[in-house]
Amino acid sequence: MNPEFFIPIPVLLSQLTLGLVNGAFYAMLSLGLAVIFGLLNVINFAHGALYMLGAVLAWAGMNYFGVGYWTMLLVSPLIVGIIGIIIERLLLHWIYELDHIYGLLLTLGITLVIEGIMRSAYGVSGLPYAAPSELRGATDLGFMFLPNYRAWVLVASITVCLATWFFIEKTKVGSYLRAGTENPKIVESFGVNVPVMITLTYGFGVALAAFAGVLAAPMMQVSPLMGQNLIIIIFAVVVIGGMGSIMGAIVTGLALGVLEGLTKVIYPQASSTVVFLIMAIILLVRPAGLFGRDK
Amino acid sequence: MREYKSSVPALEIEDLQGWYGESHVLHGVNLKVYPGEVVTLLGRNGSGRTSTMRAVMGLIGARKGSIKVNGVETINMPTYKIANLGIGYCPEERAIFSSLSCEENLLLPPKIRGAGKGMSQDEIYEMFPNLQERKHSQGTRLSGGEQQMLAVGRILRTGANLLLLDEISEGLAPVIVQALARMIRTLKEKGYTVVMVEQNFHFAAPLADRLYVMEHGVIVEHFEANELETKMPVLNELLGV
Amino acid sequence: MSAFEKELGNSSKNISKILKSKSVSWSLVVLTSLLLAPFIGVYPVLILKILCFALFACSFNLLIGFTGLLSFGHAAFFGGAGYIFGYFMKSWGIPAEIGIILGVGFGAILGYVIGSLAIKRQGIYFAMITLALAQMVYFIFLQTPFTGGEDGLQGIPRGKLFGFIPLDSDLVTYYFVLGVVLLAFLAIVRIVNSPYGQILRAIKENEPRAVSLGYDTNRFKLIAFVTSASFSALAGSLKALVLGFATLTDVHWTMSGSVILMTLVGGLGTLTGPILGAVLIVMLENKIGEIGFFLAEVTGIQWFETLGQSVPMVTGIIFIICVLSFRQGIVGIFTRVCRPGR
């Protein structure tokens, strides 16, 4: 075997594990995007910016008020959720009857404003944020030393994803949500307060993004631009998975993270583009997406 | 019917104007339905019967005039509040949710606070045994008849007392149409107020206490069930029955 | 009643005639001032930059405004063509028009690839796919050695036109680029008004109906996409020629966002809207610092002085305002004011 192409198994396994952690972020974000699109018919471009806002708030909590990681893991999504509710009531609310593209353009505008504000406050360089002391260090998995923090991220995000799935697929309120995705007017004619449901769904979706942001803060540099490229990857994930299925979004997100990790081992230069490449292939073979059910 | 007319109407529509975007579809509809009555709206396609129902539920673009439900003005209310006054609406397109199972569809509409008890799930299954057999099937896997039973059945559970049924007999086999007719008689016995939009004259006429005929977005005829014989010539002209 | 209607029809016909003759005279005014601009002390490079963006916006509008497809990846054609033009001009020393042709060719091929993938999905997915594929192109340009990475491609020579007219002087470049841009505008107007343009509009209005009339709408959409990409590439090549550099900014998705904004501000689906929008947005980006200082002086709020560093925020606000209340854009509002009752 040509030694140049020889990939040591431990390296492969560790990249796959790290890929899975990244995939957990894709899963959480594409899940929120899909839930919001389902009910609001808006592709929330601002998802990346609100993810960033979650991370920045965690950093700000620590630096200005000395509020630690665990508190911010709850407070930050809460604040972003409230911001989301305000955004929905104030802006998105007016455009549901219009062509979908206006939702995309409006949330693009919101993105530019949020990122602009953060940029003028913090510049573009990264802000360091330390992992909580309980989660420092690493665990020997045999093939790699997995940083404890990443293990936590994986567990936390998959738990949140599954909880969301359970809530939507298995509860009464979830059935309103699923029905509302198909025909909000009829659900409202049953006496369900759909306008409030829409507002809360947007709030929940972006709170999920903020939660992901806080989880990401100790792993990567907190920066006003950290959501910019991520949102486009999430779009690709959503095109690949299709937005019809919650579990589809979760599985697609995780799988793409793993594939990205694999690419880092085989051909590192392509790791930033592999998701887009897979999207192109999926469009050729299965245009409706893996779990496709187009609206 | 005389005895009803002293009480507050379950539904009272006065000079209702309605629009879908730019197009003006209702031009001053007036009708009254008293508690316990079965009233049928007849008319050709496009005469505004479905739009009237949708207007009552606040599902059309814009509406003006007055719609009172049990004496409460609803013209400026959002749809969910109107429904919570005790209305059950069965839309023409049935609107069965494909991502929900048959039973989930049936249990979807929440109980209306402060309203009557409504039928129990068992009573509904008794009325439509098919639904019980298919309760785990996905909503859109059901046959047209089953979907129709489900669409009607699910609004009986909520305690709603005023039922708006849009074209429930449309496109169904005679056996099912008969079952639906039996259901409406049962509902009447139980004291429900029913407004039906019907194309199928032979289904609707024997069930109704009173009949309204619509054309071009207004009510053009109104008579009681016992006047049916004498009104047949007019009906023939208006509906071509 | 019918007499009244007739009269109404006549008067509206008259108004449109007046508007038409007005728009002809307006074009003459604009054209003359463009021809004379360098002599009355206007910096030609700024005008050319605006013209390039105007052409970019018009070609983008060919898709969104006349076919109803929102591409979120037009930066790939615009910026990409700039790189291709720059690379060949710099390392091969070819005549400028060949460089432009190569740039446009690149745009057409890339447009074909991205277009054929994107038309497999509709509506909002189309926008997401074009955005994702353009982002892939961005990463490729970021990593490929010839583009100079973060620094971009600097000092692109303008070369010689047809091999013997040197384009070193801004004035010669000015008239050459002006000529090309005007020809491109005419071509776009011609396309929009052709029977082919009618079919595109039919697809925009109601695609299923166009399909049922027997049109292979996917083919028409693809042709429209490639055409639009090619014109965008032309605009990008010209911009690289004028400014002498090509950078990642022009390939980044924010550029795709900018061109959407220009078109939206000017008026989707109008011929002059994108031009006006481009003028407005480019001027705004250039002058925003000064506007900020002015506002700070007038209102006494210090914060406005930092406005110069917050171009994205200001564009974001314009986006929000446009989507919420000015969806017809400047031209749309103008026509509504001039032709009441429509």
Side-chain angles (χ1 to χ4, degrees):
Chain A
M1 197 190 249
N2 190 331
E4 232 177 288
F5 292 111
F6 177 70
I7 301 157
I9 296 296
V11 172
L12 179 69
L13 284 176
S14 65
Q15 282 299 342
L16 290 184
T17 316
L18 296 179
L20 193 63
V21 176
N22 274 338
F25 283 102
Y26 299 163
M28 257 189 297
L29 292 171
S30 59
L31 175 65
L33 207 66
V35 172
I36 291 173
F37 182 71
L39 205 57
L40 282 77
N41 279 326
V42 167
I43 287 291
N44 187 30
F45 202 103
H47 223 64
L50 293 162
Y51 155 87
M52 173 273 287
L53 199 59
V56 171
L57 282 175
W59 179 88
M62 179 65 92
N63 278 270
Y64 299 144
F65 309 105
V67 181
Y69 173 85
W70 297 106
T71 317
M72 285 320 280
L73 197 56
L74 290 177
V75 173
S76 182
L78 204 67
I79 297 175
V80 172
I82 292 170
I83 293 174
I85 287 175
I86 296 170
I87 290 175
E88 197 280 337
R89 286 279 95 189
L90 226 54
L91 305 171
L92 298 180
H93 187 64
W94 307 103
I95 54 151
Y96 297 140
E97 308 285 314
L98 305 176
D99 190 315
H100 293 182
I101 65 167
Y102 288 110
L104 186 69
L105 298 184
L106 182 59
T107 49
L108 168 63
I110 296 169
T111 307
L112 293 174
V113 172
I114 296 175
E115 282 178 356
I117 293 172
M118 289 298 130
R119 217 150 127 175
S120 62
Y122 300 110
V124 286
S125 54
L127 311 163
Y129 187 84
S133 51
E134 302 88 338
L135 294 173
R136 285 182 200 146
T139 307
D140 190 355
L141 295 182
F143 56 89
M144 72 179 294
F145 280 95
L146 179 66
N148 289 341
Y149 186 75
R150 287 183 191 240
W152 151 248
V153 166
L154 193 59
V155 172
S157 45
I158 290 181
T159 311
V160 166
C161 283
L162 291 180
T164 309
W165 171 83
F166 181 83
F167 176 72
I168 294 174
E169 295 292 334
K170 302 290 169 199
T171 67
K172 181 77 187 173
V173 178
S175 71
Y176 294 149
L177 215 81
R178 273 177 291 144
T181 300
E182 285 183 49
N183 194 337
K185 287 286 168 201
I186 294 303
V187 175
E188 194 176 343
S189 84
F190 292 154
V192 177
N193 191 338
V194 173
V196 161
M197 198 166 90
I198 287 175
T199 309
L200 292 179
T201 300
Y202 190 75
F204 171 77
V206 300
L208 208 58
F211 183 79
V214 183
L215 284 182
M219 273 171 55
M220 35 199 107
Q221 297 266 300
V222 176
S223 123
L225 298 183
M226 68 193 277
Q228 262 204 359
N229 292 333
L230 187 61
I231 184 65
I232 302 177
I233 298 180
I234 298 302
F235 280 1
V237 172
V238 154
V239 171
I240 294 169
M243 278 188 286
S245 145
I246 300 295
M247 205 39 116
I250 299 173
V251 171
T252 313
L254 290 172
L256 285 172
V258 172
L259 275 170
E260 217 177 52
L262 191 67
T263 319
K264 280 207 177 98
V265 188
I266 299 169
Y267 187 64
Q269 291 89 329
S271 62
S272 52
T273 47
V274 66
V275 173
F276 305 121
L277 209 62
I278 294 172
M279 179 190 81
I281 295 168
I282 293 287
L283 283 172
L284 289 174
V285 223
R286 215 184 131 88
L290 292 179
F291 303 87
R293 211 173 43 197
D294 266 1
K295 289 192 74 158
Chain B
M1 264 125 275
R2 297 279 169 250
E3 73 267 31
Y4 299 130
K5 297 197 173 168
S6 55
S7 56
V8 180
L11 177 66
E12 182 175 17
I13 299 178
E14 277 173 350
D15 192 30
L16 175 64
Q17 310 271 335
W19 290 263
Y20 282 111
E22 300 273 292
S23 65
H24 193 175
V25 291
L26 299 176
H27 303 262
V29 176
N30 291 289
L31 65 85
K32 274 185 195 174
V33 183
Y34 289 93
E37 271 192 307
V38 174
V39 168
T40 298
L41 283 180
L42 297 167
R44 292 204 170 96
N45 276 336
S47 58
R49 300 162 305 153
T50 295
S51 301
T52 305
M53 284 209 169
R54 293 178 56 86
V56 171
M57 296 311 297
L59 295 173
I60 64 170
R63 48 196 191 137
K64 258 194 217 161
S66 163
I67 303 171
K68 287 189 185 137
V69 177
N70 297 324
V72 181
E73 181 57 69
T74 66
I75 200 79
N76 291 318
M77 275 190 189
T79 299
Y80 70 93
K81 281 196 182 154
I82 300 174
N84 281 326
L85 294 172
I87 307 186
Y89 169 57
C90 174
E92 188 178 9
E93 70 277 9
R94 294 168 193 158
I96 299 302
F97 298 101
S98 61
S99 57
L100 274 60
S101 72
C102 174
E103 191 165 60
E104 277 180 306
N105 265 292
L106 186 66
L107 299 180
L108 185 72
K111 296 256 183 203
I112 292 171
R113 246 172 281 155
K117 204 158 69 58
M119 286 190 197
S120 70
Q121 202 176 330
D122 290 336
E123 277 177 286
I124 294 168
Y125 280 147
E126 204 176 304
M127 205 185 287
F128 305 115
N130 296 36
L131 295 185
Q132 188 160 25
E133 285 163 32
R134 306 290 314 263
K135 71 180 177 189
H136 297 300
S137 309
Q138 206 189 347
T140 38
R141 297 267 163 80
L142 303 174
S143 73
E146 287 163 342
Q147 289 196 20
Q148 188 63 67
M149 294 174 198
L150 184 53
V152 182
R154 69 183 170 188
I155 58 173
L156 301 179
R157 246 191 73 256
T158 63
N161 219 332
L162 170 60
L163 306 179
L164 308 181
L165 310 179
D166 197 347
E167 297 273 19
I168 56 167
S169 72
E170 193 185 23
L172 297 180
V175 181
I176 298 169
V177 175
Q178 281 162 19
L180 289 171
R182 271 200 305 280
M183 171 197 82
I184 290 184
R185 290 207 180 85
T186 316
L187 293 177
K188 191 174 157 53
E189 278 163 26
K190 291 188 183 241
Y192 282 86
T193 312
V194 180
V195 183
M196 294 192 290
V197 159
E198 269 305 327
Q199 192 81 265
N200 185 343
F201 179 78
H202 303 286
F203 167 74
L207 294 169
D209 297 318
R210 285 187 299 126
L211 301 100
Y212 285 92
V213 184
M214 285 192 81
E215 198 164 72
H216 304 307
V218 288
I219 303 281
V220 290
E221 256 318 315
H222 165 218
F223 49 89
E224 311 215 340
N226 53 19
E227 297 172 84
L228 200 57
E229 285 292 312
T230 53
K231 290 285 185 179
M232 273 323 273
V234 191
L235 280 180
N236 271 328
E237 196 186 314
L238 284 171
L239 306 173
V241 284
Chain C
M1 178 72 182
S2 74
F4 173 70
E5 270 174 2
K6 207 177 230 176
E7 199 182 317
L8 205 69
N10 277 343
S11 71
S12 81
K13 215 178 270 173
N14 284 341
I15 291 173
S16 73
K17 212 179 270 172
I18 293 166
L19 268 183
K20 212 168 217 177
S21 65
K22 250 190 191 166
S23 74
V24 168
S25 50
W26 268 109
S27 334
L28 282 177
V29 171
V30 171
L31 192 62
T32 326
S33 38
L34 278 175
L35 285 172
L36 294 177
F39 299 104
I40 51 175
V42 188
Y43 184 44
V45 172
L46 177 65
I47 303 180
L48 287 182
K49 191 178 159 194
I50 293 176
L51 279 177
C52 291
F53 277 107
L55 176 60
F56 184 27
C58 284
S59 31
F60 173 76
N61 187 42
L62 204 56
L63 264 189
I64 178 85
F66 295 102
T67 323
L69 298 173
L70 172 63
S71 160
F72 214 128
H74 261 47
F77 314 123
F78 182 72
Y83 272 122
I84 298 298
F85 172 83
Y87 171 73
F88 283 110
M89 292 302 284
K90 223 176 156 176
S91 48
W92 290 19
I94 49 171
E97 77 279 0
I98 304 290
I100 292 172
I101 290 171
L102 288 172
V104 173
F106 166 81
I109 294 167
L110 189 63
Y112 181 79
V113 174
I114 293 186
S116 0
L117 285 167
I119 56 170
K120 291 190 176 277
R121 297 287 281 275
Q122 293 180 335
I124 205 69
Y125 283 98
F126 184 91
M128 287 196 279
I129 293 167
T130 46
L131 175 57
L133 291 173
Q135 183 76 351
M136 184 164 140
V137 173
Y138 169 82
F139 278 121
I140 293 172
F141 275 112
L142 177 66
Q143 288 170 354
T144 316
F146 85 80
T147 60
E150 304 276 355
D151 299 330
L153 214 54
Q154 301 288 341
I156 301 170
R158 284 182 184 166
K160 288 179 178 155
L161 188 57
F162 308 122
F164 63 92
I165 309 171
L167 289 172
D168 300 323
S169 111
D170 280 349
L171 208 61
V172 180
T173 309
Y174 181 80
Y175 286 109
F176 167 61
V177 173
L178 181 63
V180 175
V181 170
L182 286 178
L183 282 178
F185 280 141
L186 289 178
I188 289 175
V189 173
R190 183 78 189 79
I191 291 172
V192 166
N193 292 326
S194 69
Y196 164 69
Q198 301 273 322
I199 297 169
L200 291 185
R201 252 174 286 188
I203 294 175
K204 183 192 177 195
E205 289 295 317
N206 191 333
E207 193 179 343
R209 195 173 298 163
V211 171
S212 72
L213 285 173
Y215 290 112
D216 180 357
T217 54
N218 273 349
R219 208 182 100 234
F220 283 104
K221 284 202 265 186
L222 185 57
I223 298 174
F225 197 90
V226 174
T227 316
S228 170
S230 310
F231 279 115
S232 302
L234 175 61
S237 309
L238 289 175
K239 185 184 170 236
L241 168 80
V242 170
L243 298 179
F245 60 79
T247 58
L248 282 172
T249 327
D250 288 355
V251 208
H252 196 244
W253 67 260
T254 41
M255 180 55 73
S256 302
S258 278
V259 77
I260 297 175
L261 185 62
M262 290 171 192
T263 317
L264 187 67
V265 167
L268 296 179
T270 60
L271 283 168
T272 42
I275 303 175
L276 284 176
V279 175
L280 205 74
I281 298 296
V282 176
M283 295 295 269
L284 187 75
E285 281 175 5
N286 274 3
K287 302 278 176 199
I288 197 157
E290 290 166 39
I291 298 172
F293 276 108
F294 173 76
L295 284 176
E297 212 165 281
V298 174
T299 59
I301 300 170
Q302 285 284 307
W303 177 82
F304 279 117
E305 284 178 12
T306 60
L307 211 60
Q309 294 132 40
S310 352
V311 179
M313 190 159 70
V314 176
T315 28
I317 292 171
I318 301 176
F319 248 118
I320 294 175
I321 295 173
C322 276
V323 172
L324 288 180
S325 39
F326 294 107
R327 283 185 295 277
Q328 322 92 331
I330 300 169
V331 172
I333 290 170
F334 182 77
T335 8
R336 207 170 48 174
V337 170
C338 290
R339 297 165 78 174
R342 281 215 50 187

